[in-house]
C-alpha cells in the first residue's frame, strides 16, 4: 500500500472522501483562501463605480487593480519562505489577518489614495493565500486526493466570478458599497477561526533553515508586472507596445538572474536545469491562464455589440470561468498517464475551438441565437482551460518528493498564474487596439489572436511529454516524506 493511501480506496480518491470529516475542515480552508481572492477581485470590479462616485479619484480608477496585482505577485513568491519559517497554520492566519486588515482599510477609505493603500494590503494577503493552497495541500491530504483538491481550488475562481458581482452589485444597489468589503472581512475572520483547528502548526518540522529572500528577483518581476499593468490602461497602441517590450526585457533579466545566480531563487533550480519537466509545467499553467484573460473585454463587447444590459453582459463575461469550473471538476475523473496526457492536449485544443467560434460569431446587430452562441463558445473555451489546468497543477505537485522543494514548486505555480494574468491584460488591450477603430474588428482580432494561445499550449504539452519520457517517472516519496498529519488520519481510518 502506498504511504498515505487508505485501504480499499481507488488511486484517484473520490469527492465523497475529499469531504470526509477527516479532511473537510482543511479542504474548506484551502478552497476558501482561493475563493476569497477570486471573490474580492470581482466584488471590487462591480462596485468601484459607486465608490468613485462617493470618494472621487476617477483618474486612479484602474490603479485599484494595478496595485492589487503587483502586491499579489510579490507575496506569492514568498509562500515557500513563509511555510519554512511559520508553518502552514501560522501562514494562513497571517494571510487571513492581513486580508481582513486591508479590507477594513478599503471599506473605511475616505479618499481614493487611502483605498489604494487598502488594495495593496489586500493584494499582499491574496497572493499569499492563493499560493498557500497548493503548497499546504501536500501536508493535509493523501496523494490520491490531490487531483480532486486541485480541481476544487481551481473551480473557486468560477465561484468567485459568480458571487463577486452578486455581492458587489447588491451592496452597490442598496447604496452601501462599503458593506461588501465588511462582508469579505467577516468571511476572512471566519476562515481564520477554522484554520486554528484544521491545519498543522508546522509545515516542515526538522527541515533546514530557509534561504534568504531573492530581493533582486522580486524587484524584477514586480517591475515587469507593473509595466504590463500600466500598459493595460494606456490608450496609445504605440505606448502599450513599448511598455510590453520593456516588461518582456525585465522578465528576461529575471530569467537570466535565476539561471546564473548561486543565491536564493524564486523558482526551483530544476526549472532551469537538466531535463526536468517543471519548466514546461509552469509554461503550460501560464499560457492557459493567459487565455482566460480574454474575459476582461467580454462584458464590453456584450454591451456595445450585443446591446446587452450590464447584468446580462456580466454573466456573459463569467462564461469562461463557469466553463473552467465544470472542466476542472469533470476532468478530475480522468486517471492513468495516457488519459491525463490526452486531456492536457485536448484542453488547449478546446480552448482554440471555442475562441475561433466566438470570433466567427462576431457580427453587426447579432440576433438572440447568435448571442447564445457567444455564451456557448466562451463556455466551451473555459472548459478547455479547466480540464487541462487541473492536470497540470497536479503534475506540478508530483514533481518534487521533498516537502521543502515541493512548497517552492507550488508557490511557483501560483506565481506563474499571477504573472500571466498581468501580461494577459496588457496583451488583450493591445489586440483590441490593433483591431480598432471598429469595436467589431477589435472583437475579432482579440478572439482569433487568443485562439493561437491554445495552439501554443498544445506544443508545450507535447514537449513536456517528450521530456518526461526521456527522464522517466519521478521517484516515489519515502515514508518519511508523507506528512505526519496525513499518516495519523489514515491510521485512524484503517484501524
Amino acid at each position: 500500500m502506498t504511504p498515505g493511501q487508505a485501504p480499499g480506496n481507488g488511486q484517484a480518491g473520490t469527492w465523497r472522501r475529499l469531504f470526509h470529516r477527516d479532511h473537510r475542515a482543511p479542504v474548506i480552508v484551502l478552497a476558501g483562501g482561493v475563493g476569497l481572492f477570486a471573490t474580492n477581485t470581482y466584488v471590487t470590479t462591480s462596485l468601484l463605480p459607486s465608490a468613485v462616485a462617493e470618494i472621487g479619484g476617477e483618474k486612479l480608477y484602474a490603479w485599484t487593480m494595478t496595485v492589487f496585482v503587483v502586491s499579489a505577485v510579490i507575496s506569492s513568491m514568498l509562500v515557500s519562505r513563509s511555510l519554512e519559517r511559520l508553518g502552514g497554520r501560522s501562514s494562513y492566519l497571517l494571510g487571513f489577518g492581513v486580508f481582513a486588515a486591508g479590507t477594513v482599510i478599503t471599506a473605511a477609505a475616505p479618499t481614493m489614495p487611502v483605498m489604494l493603500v487598502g488594495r495593496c494590503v489586500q493584494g499582499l494577503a491574496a497572493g499569499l493565500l492563493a499560493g498557500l493552497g497548493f503548497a499546504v495541500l501536500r501536508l493535509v491530504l493523501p496523494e490520491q486526493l490531490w487531483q480532486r483538491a486541485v480541481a476544487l481550488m481551481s473551480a473557486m475562481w468560477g465561484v468567485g466570478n459568480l458571487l463577486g458581482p452578486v455581492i458587489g452589485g447588491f451592496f452597490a444597489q442598496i447604496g452601501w458599497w462599503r458593506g461588501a468589503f465588511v462582508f469579505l472581512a467577516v468571511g476572512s475572520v471566519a476562515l481564520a477561526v477554522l484554520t486554528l483547528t484544521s491545519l498543522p502548526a508546522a509545515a516542515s518540522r526538522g527541515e533546514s533553515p530557509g534561504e534568504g529572500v531573492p530581493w533582486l528577483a522580486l524587484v524584477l518581476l514586480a517591475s515587469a508586472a507593473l509595466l504590463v499593468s500600466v500598459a493595460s490602461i494606456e490608450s496609445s497602441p504605440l505606448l502599450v507596445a513599448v511598455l510590453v517590450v520593456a516588461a518582456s526585457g525585465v522578465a528576461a533579466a529575471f530569467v537570466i538572474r535565476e539561471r546564473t545566480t548561486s543565491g536564493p531563487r524564486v523558482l526551483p533550480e530544476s526549472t532551469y536545469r537538466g531535463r526536468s519537466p517543471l519548466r514546461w509545467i509552469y509554461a503550460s499553467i501560464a499560457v492557459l491562464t493567459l487565455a482566460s484573460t480574454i474575459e476582461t473585454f467580454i462584458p464590453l463587447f456584450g454591451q456595445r455589440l450585443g446591446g446587452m444590459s450590464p447584468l446580462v453582459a456580466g454573466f456573459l463575461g463569467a462564461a469562461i470561468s463557469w466553463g473552467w469550473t465544470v472542466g476542472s471538476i469533470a476532468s478530475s475523473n480522468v486517471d492513468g498517464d495516457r488519459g491525463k496526457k490526452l486531456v492536457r492536449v485536448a484542453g488547449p485544443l478546446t480552448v482554440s475551438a471555442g475562441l475561433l467560434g466566438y470570433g466567427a460569431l462576431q457580427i453587426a446587430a447579432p440576433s438572440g441565437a447568435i448571442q447564445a452562441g457567444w455564451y456557448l463558445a466562451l463556455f466551451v473555451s473555459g472548459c478547455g482551460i479547466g480540464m487541462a489546468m487541473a492536470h497540470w497543477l497536479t503534475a506540478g505537485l508530483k514533481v518534487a518528493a521533498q516537502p521543502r522543494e515541493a512548497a517552492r514548486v507550488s508557490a511557483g505555480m501560483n506565481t506563474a498564474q499571477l504573472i500571466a494574468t498581468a501580461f494577459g491584460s496588457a496583451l488583450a488591450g493591445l489586440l483590441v487596439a490593433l483591431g480598432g477603430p471598429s469595436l467589431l474588428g477589435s472583437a475579432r482580432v482579440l478572439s482569433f489572436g487568443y485562439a493561437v494561445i491554445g495552439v501554443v499550449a498544445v506544443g508545450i504539452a507535447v514537449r513536456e511529454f517528450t521530456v518526461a519520457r526521456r527522464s522517466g517517472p519521478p521517484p516515489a516519496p519515502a515514508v518519511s516524506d508523507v506528512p505526519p498529519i496525513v499518516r495519523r488520519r489514515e491510521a485512524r481510518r484503517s484501524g
Side-chain angles (χ1 to χ4, degrees), residues 137-158:
L137 169 67
R138 293 175 56 100
L139 304 170
V140 296
L141 295 174
E143 183 177 344
Q144 63 267 31
L145 292 180
W146 289 357
Q147 188 165 307
R148 300 282 187 182
V150 166
L152 177 64
M153 287 189 287
S154 181
M156 294 308 295
W157 280 97

Side-chain angles (χ1 to χ4, degrees), residues 75-258:
S75 62
S76 72
M77 291 183 282
L78 300 174
V79 169
S80 60
R81 278 85 185 172
S82 176
L83 285 173
E84 290 170 355
R85 298 180 181 183
L86 300 178
R89 182 192 301 169
S90 295
S91 293
Y92 259 105
L93 289 175
L94 175 65
F96 288 131
V98 172
F99 184 87
T103 305
V104 169
I105 294 172
T106 305
T111 63
M112 181 58 77
V114 176
M115 175 176 278
L116 293 181
V117 172
R119 290 289 288 163
C120 181
V121 176
Q122 278 187 320
L124 290 172
L128 181 64
L129 290 172
L132 282 173
F134 298 111
V136 176
L137 169 67
R138 293 175 56 100
L139 304 170
V140 296
L141 295 174
E143 183 177 344
Q144 63 267 31
L145 292 180
W146 289 357
Q147 188 165 307
R148 300 282 187 182
V150 166
L152 177 64
M153 287 189 287
S154 181
M156 294 308 295
W157 280 97
V159 174
N161 202 347
L162 175 63
L163 292 181
V166 172
I167 296 171
F170 170 76
F171 282 102
Q173 187 68 34
I174 65 175
W176 188 40
W177 61 266
R178 300 177 190 272
F181 291 113
V182 174
F183 181 87
L184 291 177
V186 172
S188 181
V189 172
L191 287 170
V193 172
L194 186 60
T195 299
L196 287 171
T197 59
S198 61
L199 295 187
S204 52
R205 186 174 300 173
E207 291 292 325
S208 57
E211 297 177 346
V213 177
W215 291 113
L216 177 57
L218 287 174
V219 170
L220 289 172
L221 266 184
S223 298
L226 183 60
L227 286 169
V228 176
S229 297
V230 173
S232 67
I233 63 176
E234 290 293 338
S235 57
S236 168
L238 178 60
L239 184 54
V240 169
V242 170
L243 289 169
V244 170
V245 170
S248 300
V250 175
F254 162 78
V255 174
I256 293 173
R257 185 267 175 196
E258 287 277 284

